[in-house]
Amino acid sequence: VRSRRQRQMCIRDRPKDAGFAHAISVLLYGLCCSLLFLWLRLMYIDKDQWLALFISMIFAAHPIHTEVVANIKSVDEILSLLFGLAALIFVLKTADSQNLIWLVPGLISFFLALVSKEGAMLLIPIIPIMLLSFRKVTFKSVFVQTVGFVLPLAAYLVLRFRAIGGIFGSEETPVLDNVLVSVNGLDRIVSAISIAFLYVVKLIYPATLSHDYSISQIEIVGLGAPTFWLGLLTVMSLAFLVWKWWKSQPILSFAILFFLITFSLYSNLFVLIGTHFGERLLFMPSIGLCIILGYLLWRQGRGKKEVFDPSSATLSLAFLGILIIMYTSKTMSRSAEWKDEMTLYTADVKSAPNSTRTHFRLGRAMNMKGIEVTDDREKVKWYNQAIAELEESVEIYSEFTDALGELGLAYQGLKRYDRAMVYNEKALKLNPNHYTTINNVGVVLFSQNKQEEAIPYFKRSLEINPNFRDPAGNLGSCYGTLQQYEEAIKWFKVAIEIDPNYAPNYYFIALSFQNLNNKAESDKWLALARQIDPRIGL
């Protein structure tokens, strides 16, 4: 009998060939950077290619993108920007050729960007700003192109409505994911502006990075918080600069507007989203900062010349080189921290020590180590370390059901069953349908030779989540221990239907048939088990 925890980080459920998936992410990121260069080169048609190159290099090296590339799940962010940039390129092609045929691949690209990630919808207001800033076009032409992109947006919204039952979905966002759901009115606005300032700081100075910023790494603040006033001042300053530079510095005003518009969806000012802070959410908005930095370096190096001349732009290139080296160094060190979950979570409890989830996930990873190792002393070491991290997680947020259930699992591993049940009961008091903890209660009872008492818990866990393999296999083990081998075989087969790649369930069926004196069936299932794991049963 084994128990598993609910898996929340996609790196926990990475595919077997994770290397291939990571290679695809890196390849797509490189393609994204290339399309960014092509878009900038086409948009700034009266400038030289050095400007587009500077901006693209800064974007490619920026450490804030590490999570998007390193986390397999975040390939949606890359694809969304990739197709979004393609759409913007086709918009410029349409404007330059005055041929609406270019708009067709643009609309298709935009739809693909939307189905990759809904944040691509914010590129619609970017289109008229881009055309009015860098092309001599009529308002009619701008209107036609912009309205055209409403069609794929409408199609996407219809699909989204059918898939989740609404535009925003019906599930409530828990406070653990977004602290802003706990407040309303002015407090929510003040805190959202404060968090927006933290986003800007993180984008400009990514000294410390973390995969999570949940309770209490970022908290609700009031009017007296310095970050609120700095955030308000930042927003007002950016708005003023857009107004001031609209005609004299179109590149800078466009960069600021690009950031403000693409970030607006994630600011929680207009609509609450599923999180209050995430580095991945800066992937598209970061283009705005990269344009500003690249333009300032390019402009300083160009001086009074018509085009940028590398031979006379030593200072500009030196600053660019320093910036790229600093960003690349941070990106490389951060990428190394994404090596595996233990490395990542160990680093992030230092970067985000007040986040309940960083401690929880490190504790969960340590629990998994305790399950995997065979040496008893090693097991005790890992379980005790897990308990320390999980207790820290619960101290930060006492109603964290997953952390309470994980604590129960750690004490279960130490065979301190009374202590395990204390935390299991606390978890189930908060969430009676927490199916992993319900399964763990059954495991504790099974471990105490109380198979008949354990069976209802395993059945309840499987009833809540029919795709949870462990309680089905645990039911098989219960009935096998009770020598009800036919019933055991039935439940092991259910477990195999849920997860056909887990060899022990095939092996347990083989043992059950062996106990029924059916050698042919026993040999058959043993052979199936060894197709998955050749060492099993040896």
Side-chain angles (χ1 to χ4, degrees):
V1 176
R2 298 184 65 195
S3 64
R4 296 282 182 98
R5 276 81 55 226
Q6 184 178 9
R7 297 171 173 183
Q8 295 180 343
M9 281 293 286
C10 89
I11 62 170
R12 193 65 176 267
D13 279 330
R14 64 179 64 190
K16 289 184 178 180
D17 191 6
F20 176 76
H22 285 300
I24 293 296
S25 293
V26 172
L27 179 63
L28 289 173
Y29 183 65
L31 185 58
C32 195
C33 295
S34 299
L35 272 189
L36 176 64
F37 173 80
L38 294 176
W39 171 59
L40 294 168
R41 183 71 184 91
L42 184 60
M43 184 165 60
Y44 306 144
I45 196 168
D46 59 333
K47 311 296 180 186
D48 62 68
Q49 64 182 0
W50 288 98
L51 173 58
L53 182 62
F54 279 19
I55 298 169
S56 301
M57 288 175 63
I58 296 171
F59 179 85
H62 204 297
I64 207 71
H65 303 156
T66 309
E67 179 180 359
V68 171
V69 182
N71 191 352
I72 295 171
K73 179 265 171 198
S74 292
V75 71
D76 57 349
E77 301 279 358
I78 303 176
L79 288 172
S80 182
L81 182 56
L82 185 67
F83 290 121
L85 290 171
L88 294 177
I89 289 173
F90 287 121
V91 167
L92 292 171
K93 287 285 189 180
T94 303
D96 292 341
S97 66
Q98 296 295 306
N99 189 342
L100 290 177
I101 193 66
W102 284 106
L103 203 57
V104 176
L107 297 179
I108 295 173
S109 297
F110 182 61
F111 179 75
L112 293 174
L114 286 171
V115 296
S116 298
K117 189 77 174 181
E118 65 275 5
M121 67 176 67
L122 295 172
L123 292 177
I124 291 182
I126 295 296
I127 292 171
I129 296 172
M130 177 180 68
L131 292 175
L132 292 172
S133 297
F134 304 110
R135 292 295 186 273
K136 295 180 179 180
V137 291
T138 64
F139 281 100
K140 179 181 178 181
S141 175
V142 172
F143 178 79
V144 169
Q145 288 211 58
T146 305
V147 170
F149 279 80
V150 174
L151 298 177
L153 175 61
Y156 165 74
L157 292 176
V158 169
L159 292 175
R160 183 180 177 89
F161 184 87
R162 290 182 177 179
I164 64 176
I167 301 300
F168 301 106
S170 56
E171 293 185 3
E172 293 186 5
T173 300
V175 68
L176 190 60
D177 293 332
N178 189 336
V179 296
L180 295 172
V181 302
S182 63
V183 291
N184 292 295
L186 182 61
D187 288 340
R188 178 179 291 180
I189 295 173
V190 168
S191 296
I193 292 175
S194 173
I195 293 172
F197 177 71
L198 297 178
Y199 268 115
V200 173
V201 172
K202 190 71 67 174
L203 182 59
I204 296 174
Y205 185 65
T208 58
L209 300 173
S210 173
H211 77 280
D212 183 83
Y213 295 85
S214 58
I215 297 174
S216 293
Q217 189 64 31
I218 294 180
E219 297 181 311
I220 299 299
V221 299
L223 286 171
T227 50
F228 162 67
W229 293 104
L230 289 171
L232 187 61
L233 178 62
T234 300
V235 173
M236 294 175 64
S237 299
L238 291 176
F240 172 75
L241 291 175
V242 169
W243 172 78
K244 182 178 177 61
W245 287 341
W246 177 252
K247 291 184 179 180
S248 62
Q249 299 285 352
I251 293 178
L252 292 177
S253 63
F254 174 79
I256 294 172
L257 283 173
F258 189 97
F259 171 78
L260 291 175
I261 291 172
T262 55
F263 175 70
S264 62
L265 179 64
Y266 309 121
S267 68
N268 284 293
L269 283 170
F270 307 103
V271 60
L272 282 179
I273 61 171
T275 183
H276 55 259
F277 198 99
E279 294 169 9
R280 66 190 182 281
L281 304 182
L282 286 172
F283 187 55
M284 184 182 292
S286 67
I287 291 176
L289 173 70
C290 295
I291 291 175
I292 293 172
L293 293 176
Y295 175 78
L296 293 177
L297 290 170
W298 171 83
R299 186 70 185 82
Q300 193 282 330
R302 195 188 73 169
K304 296 182 179 180
K305 296 181 179 180
E306 291 295 325
V307 294
F308 182 87
D309 183 4
S311 62
S312 60
T314 305
L315 184 62
S316 177
L317 291 175
F319 274 115
L320 176 65
I322 292 171
L323 181 63
I324 296 298
I325 290 172
M326 290 174 58
Y327 275 0
T328 301
S329 176
K330 180 61 182 179
T331 298
M332 292 177 66
S333 64
R334 180 58 180 164
S335 296
E337 292 173 350
W338 276 87
K339 174 185 176 182
D340 53 48
E341 60 183 13
M342 186 66 72
T343 306
L344 176 66
Y345 302 152
T346 301
D348 286 3
V349 293
K350 298 176 183 177
S351 300
N354 297 320
S355 165
T356 185
R357 272 213 181 106
T358 58
H359 291 284
F360 159 67
R361 286 172 176 156
L362 179 56
R364 185 181 62 180
M366 289 173 170
N367 258 348
M368 179 59 77
K369 285 288 187 180
I371 292 173
E372 291 174 349
V373 298
T374 56
D375 183 78
D376 288 340
R377 287 178 297 180
E378 284 292 301
K379 280 183 177 291
V380 171
K381 183 194 77 170
W382 283 115
Y383 284 133
N384 282 327
Q385 290 181 4
I387 288 170
E389 291 297 331
L390 293 165
E391 286 180 342
E392 182 71 22
S393 175
V394 172
E395 184 176 343
I396 294 171
Y397 183 53
S398 61
E399 297 183 6
F400 194 175
T401 310
D402 289 345
L404 291 168
E406 203 74 19
L407 269 167
L409 183 64
Y411 280 111
Q412 173 189 311
L414 292 173
K415 298 182 180 180
R416 296 175 61 182
Y417 299 124
D418 291 344
R419 193 66 178 159
M421 288 303 294
V422 168
Y423 285 104
N424 288 338
E425 289 170 1
K426 286 183 178 181
L428 292 177
K429 185 177 180 180
L430 290 169
N431 181 5
N433 293 325
H434 199 256
Y435 58 87
T436 54
T437 300
I438 295 172
N439 178 70
N440 290 347
V441 171
V443 173
V444 170
L445 293 170
F446 182 94
S447 301
Q448 296 174 310
N449 296 315
K450 300 176 182 178
Q451 286 81 13
E452 292 183 350
E453 293 180 44
I455 286 173
Y457 287 95
F458 294 138
K459 288 185 175 179
R460 175 60 179 156
S461 177
L462 193 60
E463 177 186 341
I464 296 171
N465 184 2
N467 294 317
F468 189 21
R469 181 199 70 204
D470 288 357
N474 291 343
L475 280 167
S477 294
C478 279
Y479 285 112
T481 304
L482 294 171
Q483 298 183 1
Q484 299 178 33
Y485 301 119
E486 295 287 354
E487 192 70 9
I489 290 169
K490 166 191 164 183
W491 287 107
F492 285 131
K493 287 183 176 180
V494 171
I496 288 172
E497 288 179 6
I498 297 171
D499 182 3
N501 296 313
Y502 187 59
N505 286 327
Y506 294 88
Y507 178 66
F508 295 147
I509 291 178
L511 292 180
S512 299
F513 276 115
Q514 180 179 318
N515 287 322
L516 290 171
N517 297 315
N518 189 336
K519 187 175 185 304
E521 282 295 314
S522 179
D523 291 344
K524 167 190 166 184
W525 285 95
L526 180 60
L528 291 172
R530 287 178 176 170
Q531 285 179 9
I532 301 170
D533 183 359
R535 299 168 299 174
I536 198 164
L538 297 177

